[in-house]
Amino acid sequence: GETQLKNLSEKLAEAGVAHKLWTEQPENFATCLATKPYVKDEVAQYFKKCNLAKPDLEIAGLQIVAKSSKS
């Protein structure tokens, strides 16, 4: 959920992994997280507990790698 995405964003920031946490407005709810393209082995450890989406959407060079659904 949202908490998982926010925690993941913090871990990625601490590790220096370039990413973007999307927040829906006006609800101010984190809905997905994207990284810049990385070799899978470099970032896979951070995404072991995530439901991953296929990178079929690219926005400004960033691929969507994890999504959250509002519960």
Side-chain angles (χ1 to χ4, degrees):
E2 180 183 33
T3 302
Q4 181 186 26
L5 286 174
K6 288 182 176 181
N7 291 339
L8 177 57
S9 179
E10 289 175 15
K11 288 180 184 178
L12 293 173
E14 290 170 5
V17 176
H19 70 284
K20 170 70 176 165
L21 180 63
W22 264 270
T23 304
E24 291 294 324
Q25 295 300 329
E27 297 88 359
N28 201 35
F29 187 85
T31 56
C32 69
L33 185 144
T35 67
K36 77 169 198 169
Y38 281 98
V39 175
K40 185 177 179 179
D41 292 342
E42 293 179 17
V43 294
Q45 64 183 348
Y46 301 106
F47 296 94
K48 288 182 180 178
K49 295 181 181 180
C50 293
N51 294 323
L52 300 182
K54 293 183 180 184
D56 58 350
L57 175 63
E58 191 170 314
I59 301 172
L62 300 174
Q63 292 181 330
I64 293 176
V65 293
K67 287 186 176 180
S68 171
S69 59
K70 207 171 186 179
S71 307

